[in-house]
Amino acid sequence: MGVWPTEAWRNGSLRGLALTAAALLAGTGGATAQALRTDTNPSFGTTAQTDPSAEGLSDAATASSPRPLQPSDTGAGVPAAGDAPEGDSGAGTLRPPSRAPRGSLVPGASSAPNNRALGTLLRLRAAPARRFGSATTRITRQITQASPTDIRLTPVVRTAVVGVPLPTVLPLAGIQTPGFLFAGALRQPLAVDQAYAPLGIKLGTFTFLPGFQQSIGYDTNPEQITRLAAKPSVALRTEADLAFRSDWSASELSGELRGSYLEYPDNPAASRPNGTGVTRLRIDASRDTRIDVEGRFLIDTQRTGSPDLNAGTATRPLVTSYGTTVGATQVFNRLQLSLRGLVDRSQFEDARLGDGTVITQSDRNLNQYGLQLRAGYEISPSLTPFIDVLADTRVYDLRVDSTGTRRDSDGLTLSTGSTIALTRFISGELSAGLQHRTYNDPTLRDLTAPVMNAALIWTASPLTTVRLNATAGIVETAVAGSSGVRTQAVNLEVQHDLLRNLSLIGGLTFAQSDYDRVNISERGFSGTARIDYRFNRWLTLRGTYVYQQVNSTTASASFRSNTWLLGLRVNP
């Protein structure tokens, strides 16, 4: 029985001698040679590992198995099974157990690269950490089964802003004021960089964001009357606001309040206050049921030359409107049903002429009661269309007004729209429909007019934000023979941040009013430009320019004005 020397033997290596000696021992056979091969350390960069599938094979089976014609380099100095001379049959020759060539597959494995014959050590090193425990559906359920939000009554948690926005919808009691026509004239920035946003004051479970601003400037037409009668004056504007929000784990109470006073030392008759505010309470009765309570108010003044007053008053009469909404929302999977009750009241102060004569306006005081039903269906998280039905009645304190007209009326409004969140850059709500009003006095004909409400925010870039607000409806009037006023208003605002603490804000407002059955119509335009420079979180320098113009078919109601203001704002 002859033994062929291996390549290691020819090279004179000790390892080759050891392998040859092990092969000559009949008692150890292939098992001893296999053990020596396993203990041999492969050279750097090689993967000379033992193939588990080769263990347990007999010498005879190994010798009789097919062999490749070309030798295979194992990288460990051990020859492959095909190193024996071609003339040897292998029937009585002992050789180390054959090893699968590089690139061969483990029996029963696929041909994927990761399933090739890897060593045990390499497999252990490459095995990922095993995770224990079962998957949970709690997080998924919280996301997919969350109640869809209602923009009108549900507060939206957002970053702190400087100031409080004016209402963007028509007053429910149907009144019209200059503050409504030019609601975007002196608005706050759309957003503030987090590094300069006010932190607020923490009191218990509430966070308060107070603000105070004092401005000085100049107004070319403080009384907003005809150009020939205008009396310019220095303008002093004092403004205070407060925003608050609860930090409860469930339910929420939040609010935004603002009040200001414009003083004109050179024209005291034009001095006037302005205020607006809203508070919201959301009670989470259950996962699918919530109760919403809202309170609101508006304080403004009448324009002395407006068609409803049509008198050269010595002062601007006050107009106040306040009300509340109580509603409940129930969610049935993707279907959302809301029912709300609304109560609002409007009051008008008596006007005083220059000679001391008093014009009584108590006949314009009224209450409005309404019931609103909304049904929405969430097609996707980014689109929830809805149908809204509002039935209301307006009841005046006096049965007839100064002209002998009964102005009580009933209204029905049907609108459809959708909440939109197309991407994280575009969000808001858009709705449109028709409103029909029926008046108790037979001399007043019924009115039908389109209604619209839009509130959209587009984040064009990290530095630029665009906001669009639009509204249309029917408001009340005191003009004899006219049932009401069809009013539309659109406001567009753009904010661009030049620096983290330097913002430019521009706004345009267009308003249109058409009095029914009388030849009175008004077209209003307002342009706003403002720059905000924030020194830190609590101190801001603000410069504002406002242009306002109203063209009316009533000669005494048209006016133009230019206002410049420069002030400091403090956010404790």
Side-chain angles (χ1 to χ4, degrees):
M1 176 178 67
V3 177
W4 291 91
T6 64
E7 183 180 359
W9 170 267
R10 290 193 294 268
N11 294 336
S13 65
L14 293 179
R15 185 170 51 187
L17 292 175
L19 290 175
T20 305
L24 295 176
L25 296 179
T28 59
T32 304
Q34 180 68 20
L36 290 175
R37 290 183 61 187
T38 304
D39 294 337
T40 303
N41 294 327
S43 60
F44 180 80
T46 64
T47 56
Q49 303 293 337
T50 302
D51 188 355
S53 63
E55 296 180 3
L57 298 178
S58 63
D59 292 344
T62 304
S64 61
S65 61
R67 291 171 173 79
L69 297 178
Q70 298 296 332
S72 175
D73 183 16
T74 63
V78 180
D83 286 342
E86 296 179 1
D88 183 61
S89 62
T93 304
L94 295 177
R95 295 181 180 85
S98 63
R99 179 176 178 271
R102 178 183 296 178
S104 63
L105 300 181
V106 177
S110 65
S111 60
N114 292 335
N115 290 328
R116 298 191 180 278
L118 300 177
T120 304
L121 181 60
L122 185 59
R123 290 193 191 97
L124 292 176
R125 289 179 177 178
R130 184 180 297 277
R131 295 184 297 177
F132 297 94
S134 59
T136 177
T137 60
R138 182 175 61 86
I139 302 301
T140 303
R141 285 175 180 171
Q142 288 181 355
I143 297 175
T144 60
Q145 299 183 9
S147 302
T149 58
D150 184 344
I151 292 181
R152 291 191 176 183
L153 286 181
T154 302
V156 177
V157 179
R158 56 184 179 179
T159 57
V161 297
V162 179
V164 178
L166 287 169
T168 59
V169 298
L170 283 170
L172 291 178
I175 63 173
Q176 176 180 318
T177 65
F180 159 70
L181 289 177
F182 305 111
L186 294 172
R187 282 193 143 195
Q188 84 291 347
L190 304 181
V192 177
D193 190 277
Q194 290 293 333
Y196 292 90
L199 297 178
I201 300 174
K202 185 76 172 180
L203 293 178
T205 59
F206 285 86
T207 301
F208 294 89
L209 295 168
F212 176 81
Q213 180 177 333
Q214 182 62 55
S215 304
I216 184 171
Y218 186 79
D219 195 331
T220 60
N221 190 354
E223 295 178 293
Q224 297 179 335
I225 57 179
T226 58
R227 183 174 57 87
L228 297 178
K231 184 179 180 181
S233 173
V234 173
L236 301 175
R237 180 181 177 88
T238 303
E239 180 180 354
D241 56 75
L242 174 66
F244 63 90
R245 182 175 62 248
S246 66
D247 299 324
W248 304 336
S249 59
S251 305
E252 185 179 65
L253 175 63
S254 63
E256 299 173 340
L257 311 173
R258 189 182 83 174
S260 65
Y261 188 80
L262 265 171
E263 182 178 359
Y264 299 97
D266 301 331
N267 190 353
S271 301
R272 54 187 179 271
N274 176 275
T276 183
V278 61
T279 59
R280 303 181 183 93
L281 172 64
R282 189 193 74 242
I283 302 174
D284 299 326
S286 67
R287 190 192 68 170
D288 298 327
T289 305
R290 72 172 185 268
I291 300 173
D292 299 294
V293 181
E294 178 181 283
R296 54 190 171 270
F297 75 91
L298 172 67
I299 300 176
D300 209 333
T301 55
Q302 289 180 270
R303 220 168 13 106
T304 57
S306 73
D308 291 302
L309 191 56
N310 197 21
T313 60
T315 58
R316 296 171 65 104
L318 286 175
V319 179
T320 59
S321 178
Y322 49 91
T324 184
T325 299
V326 179
T329 301
Q330 180 67 38
V331 178
F332 304 93
N333 197 3
R334 291 178 178 268
L335 178 64
Q336 174 183 338
L337 296 179
S338 301
L339 181 64
R340 305 166 186 153
L342 309 95
V343 178
D344 287 89
R345 177 168 177 80
S346 295
Q347 290 181 308
F348 294 80
E349 183 185 26
D350 293 341
R352 187 180 299 275
L353 301 179
D355 58 1
T357 304
V358 176
I359 300 178
T360 303
Q361 295 195 96
S362 58
D363 57 343
R364 301 183 62 185
N365 298 341
L366 74 149
N367 298 322
Q368 174 172 286
Y369 310 95
L371 187 65
Q372 188 176 24
L373 176 64
R374 170 181 285 198
Y377 186 82
E378 183 185 9
I379 296 178
S380 69
S382 61
L383 188 64
T384 305
F386 60 83
I387 297 177
D388 200 312
V389 180
L390 171 63
D392 70 89
T393 180
R394 295 172 182 172
V395 181
Y396 283 77
D397 292 353
L398 301 181
R399 183 178 177 84
V400 296
D401 63 7
S402 58
T403 62
T405 304
R406 298 173 56 189
R407 292 197 170 271
D408 294 352
S409 64
D410 299 319
L412 180 64
T413 304
L414 177 63
S415 60
T416 181
S418 176
T419 58
I420 300 172
L422 299 180
T423 64
R424 65 187 183 93
F425 305 105
I426 301 177
S427 61
E429 180 177 303
L430 178 65
S431 65
L434 287 175
Q435 181 180 15
H436 179 78
R437 301 207 67 83
T438 303
Y439 295 87
N440 294 349
D441 197 302
T443 62
L444 300 178
R445 70 175 184 179
D446 296 350
L447 270 183
T448 301
V451 295
M452 178 179 61
N453 280 293
L456 299 175
I457 295 181
W458 173 35
T459 305
S461 71
L463 302 178
T464 305
T465 306
V466 181
R467 175 166 55 190
L468 174 67
N469 293 297
T471 184
I474 300 176
V475 298
E476 297 294 295
T477 181
V479 176
S482 178
S483 301
V485 186
R486 297 181 179 90
T487 303
Q488 303 88 34
V490 179
N491 175 253
L492 178 66
E493 296 182 24
V494 179
Q495 173 179 329
H496 181 73
D497 296 333
L498 298 178
L499 300 172
R500 299 183 67 183
N501 61 334
L502 181 62
S503 301
L504 296 178
I505 303 100
L508 295 175
T509 301
F510 176 78
Q512 175 178 327
S513 300
D514 295 308
Y515 290 73
D516 181 61
R517 299 184 63 182
V518 294
N519 188 24
I520 300 177
S521 62
E522 292 185 337
R523 303 292 182 269
F525 172 79
S526 173
T528 305
R530 187 171 64 212
I531 181 171
D532 282 359
Y533 182 80
R534 291 173 286 277
F535 297 98
N536 46 46
R537 292 184 182 272
W538 61 271
L539 185 61
T540 303
L541 177 66
R542 173 174 296 178
T544 307
Y545 168 74
V546 181
Y547 173 80
Q548 295 184 9
Q549 175 180 338
V550 171
N551 297 322
S552 175
T553 55
T554 303
S556 60
S558 301
F559 76 91
R560 293 182 182 180
S561 67
N562 295 273
T563 305
W564 294 268
L565 291 172
L566 180 64
L568 283 176
R569 179 176 181 81
V570 179
N571 291 94

